[in-house]
Amino acid sequence: MNDANPLDDPGADPFEIARAAAADIARLTGVEHHDIALTLGSGWGRAADLVGETTATVPATEVTGFSRPALEGHPGTLRSILTPSGTRVLVIGARTHFYEGHGVRRVVHSVRTAAATGATIMVLTNGAGGVRRTFSPGQPVLISDHINLTAASPLEGATFVDLTDLYSARLRALARTVEPALDEGVYCQFRGPHYETPAEVRMAGIIGGDIVGMSTALEAIAAREAGMEVLGFSLITNLAAGIQETPLSHEEVLEAGQAAGPVISQLLARVVAAI
Ligand code: HPA
């Protein structure tokens, strides 16, 4: 496999590369058009199997512009799934994080590719820390809005995009028809990969944040730029630094994701079925 990524050429057009990626997906899956795209973050991985029948699985490395996975043992894949009602879902199991340091173009490439396959709804999921003490590990929360603390944007040049109602009120209401008890909160994207300090978590709470994590906000902006409707879910894997008394660890995050996996995967599949 070649490490060169066409997105790293500053002169390249990222939208053209996304169209090339969508053409790869069409060729490799035999599916010309997808309706919904789903990015599966920590804990949400099993949802794909419940959404419908997987008709094709493609290693992300065979699709133009996708990066080699950051975490060892994570062969990122893209899956085409047919739901019982005939909706085509593109499941993105290959996320590039901003903290990897490859630039925002690579972070949002999967979203731009999803849009280029025809998807008009982008469902973004993640594992995150809870700032609000009323949240508990294992709890899924709807993202109602975000605060982007990365100091970066996927938009280039004088591209002014309205982010009012970025996390679609319509889709949040629809999710609540499936699970009326779903709480919601404002997601703060930090750069990472270090977890936040307790002072940063306090700041996040003071400025209006309820959840802290290292993904999603930049992807949501790119989805809106592409004209997609966005639905966001966080799995609270831990209470954020200083809110919980014990130190944070990646193992704890993974374990919480494992434990909550079956319940949140079912929730997500039911929400996708309701869309
Ligand atoms: N902070 C940032 N990212 C995270 C956390 C957290 O507490 N938990 C899971 N991802």
Side-chain angles (χ1 to χ4, degrees), residues 127-130 187 194-196 212-214 235 237-241 248 253:
Y187 181 91
H194 49 273
Y195 291 112
E196 302 72 33
V212 288
M214 305 177 195
L235 167 69
T237 56
N238 57 280
L239 290 180
L248 270 52
V253 168

Side-chain angles (χ1 to χ4, degrees), residues 42-271:
S42 279
W44 298 89
R46 274 180 272 181
D49 293 327
L50 305 175
V51 166
E53 184 201 346
T54 299
T55 62
T57 303
V58 176
T61 45
E62 287 183 22
V63 180
T64 303
F66 277 75
S67 306
R68 195 194 273 272
L71 298 175
E72 284 309 314
H74 262 264
T77 60
L78 300 169
R79 288 164 71 169
S80 184
I81 294 185
L82 183 61
T83 71
S85 63
T87 303
R88 270 290 169 184
V89 181
L90 179 68
V91 174
I92 300 162
R95 185 179 239 152
T96 299
H97 288 88
F98 188 55
Y99 60 68
E100 292 172 46
H102 299 309
V104 193
R105 283 183 168 193
R106 285 221 225 167
V107 172
V108 301
H109 178 60
S110 61
V111 169
R112 288 182 172 151
T113 298
T117 70
T120 53
I121 292 180
M122 187 73 230
V123 184
L124 297 168
T125 65
N126 59 54
V131 175
R132 240 195 273 155
R133 285 172 198 280
T134 50
F135 288 151
S136 27
Q139 180 181 353
V141 177
L142 281 166
I143 301 177
S144 60
D145 203 345
H146 80 219
I147 298 174
N148 173 10
L149 295 173
T150 65
S153 170
L155 309 183
E156 298 177 26
T159 309
F160 304 110
V161 172
D162 175 44
L163 300 182
T164 310
D165 192 31
L166 176 56
Y167 298 87
S168 163
R170 182 187 81 85
L171 292 176
R172 277 183 280 143
L174 193 136
R176 287 212 175 87
T177 64
V178 170
E179 180 51 71
L182 268 174
D183 207 343
E184 64 180 28
V186 173
Y187 181 91
C188 292
Q189 180 175 358
F190 283 82
R191 183 193 185 278
H194 49 273
Y195 291 112
E196 302 72 33
T197 63
E200 287 165 345
V201 170
R202 279 197 304 278
M203 176 195 76
I206 289 166
I207 65 176
D210 302 300
I211 310 161
V212 288
M214 305 177 195
S215 67
T216 302
L218 296 170
E219 293 157 56
I221 296 168
R224 168 51 54 91
E225 179 191 26
M228 301 167 99
E229 212 178 354
V230 178
L231 177 65
F233 277 105
S234 287
L235 167 69
I236 305 295
T237 56
N238 57 280
L239 290 180
I243 306 286
Q244 73 172 31
E245 275 156 24
T246 49
L248 270 52
S249 75
H250 184 54
E251 287 65 39
E252 174 194 21
V253 168
L254 292 180
E255 276 168 28
Q258 287 270 328
V263 169
I264 60 171
S265 297
Q266 238 192 43
L267 165 69
L268 188 55
R270 286 170 59 218
V271 170

Side-chain angles (χ1 to χ4, degrees), residues 4-61:
N5 188 311
L7 287 163
D8 294 343
D9 170 4
D13 174 356
F15 297 97
E16 202 173 292
I17 295 167
R19 284 192 293 275
D24 291 338
I25 290 170
R27 178 173 47 81
L28 294 165
T29 63
V31 179
E32 283 292 330
H33 177 101
H34 286 84
D35 305 298
I36 299 175
L38 197 57
T39 295
L40 298 178
S42 279
W44 298 89
R46 274 180 272 181
D49 293 327
L50 305 175
V51 166
E53 184 201 346
T54 299
T55 62
T57 303
V58 176
T61 45

